[in-house]
Amino acid sequence: MSNKQTAVHINRRTSTFIPKSTMTTKKSITYSSTRGCPTQKHISFRSAVMRGLAHDRGLFVPDSFPTVSTAELESWRDLEYHELATEVIGKFVGEDEVPRDVLADIVKRSCGAFRSEEVTPLVKVDGHYILVSNGMLYGGCG
C-alpha cells in the first residue's frame, strides 16, 4: 500500500468510508455455565462453541447482553436473512475471535442449506401465522 492509500471500511448501507485507523475492533463477550462452576465462567466464544456443554454439564450463556439502538434496528429493516443474522450474531462474537467477513461467509453458507430462500418464512395458514424452518412448521397465533 502506498503512502497515499488508506485502509477503509465501507458501510454498504450508507456508502460512507471510515478509515480503519479510526475504527475499534469489537471484543467478544464471554460465556459462563448455567450451573455456576467457577472453572466454567468467562469462557471465550470459541471455547464455548468448541466445548458445546460446559464441563459441569451446564449450558453456556452470555455474561452480558449487547444493546441495539433504535437507529441500528431501523438500519436492519431491509436486510436479507443472512445479513440480519450476521448483525445479530456479531453482537455476541467480536472480530477478535471471528473476523466480520468470515462470520458473514459462515452465516451466508449456513443459510444456503435451508430449503427456502427466505430461510424461515412466515406464512398464513387458516388464519394463523406459521413459521417454516427447513421444512418444519411451527404454529402461532392469528
Side-chain angles (χ1 to χ4, degrees):
M1 185 182 309
S2 73
N3 291 341
K4 293 184 181 183
Q5 294 176 323
T6 303
V8 296
H9 167 75
I10 302 171
N11 180 324
R12 63 184 177 78
R13 293 285 167 216
T14 62
S15 298
T16 56
F17 296 88
I18 305 166
K20 284 198 176 186
S21 60
T22 64
M23 295 173 56
T24 59
T25 301
K26 184 180 133 336
K27 297 266 187 195
S28 295
I29 61 174
T30 57
Y31 298 81
S32 294
S33 172
T34 53
R35 295 205 175 163
C37 178
T39 64
Q40 301 300 290
K41 291 186 178 217
H42 314 299
I43 305 296
S44 72
F45 171 79
R46 282 184 181 222
S47 293
V49 168
M50 295 307 291
R51 290 180 191 179
L53 287 175
H55 296 304
D56 64 4
R57 308 303 289 163
L59 301 175
F60 284 113
V61 294
D63 289 326
S64 62
F65 289 91
T67 59
V68 179
S69 69
T70 303
E72 195 169 18
L73 277 175
E74 185 61 36
S75 74
W76 294 352
R77 182 181 296 275
D78 296 321
L79 296 180
E80 292 182 38
Y81 186 92
H82 67 90
E83 295 170 321
L84 177 58
T86 299
E87 294 297 324
V88 172
I89 295 167
K91 291 287 191 176
F92 292 89
V93 55
E95 291 194 42
D96 60 320
E97 294 206 52
V98 182
R100 187 57 170 235
D101 58 334
V102 173
L103 177 63
D105 181 59
I106 291 168
V107 172
K108 187 172 185 175
R109 286 186 294 116
S110 297
C111 290
F114 285 80
R115 295 177 185 166
S116 170
E117 190 173 305
E118 295 171 301
V119 183
T120 55
L122 188 63
V123 296
K124 195 167 190 176
V125 178
D126 295 331
H128 298 278
Y129 287 100
I130 306 293
L131 178 68
V132 182
S133 179
N134 217 20
M136 301 295 291
L137 298 177
Y138 299 91
C141 299

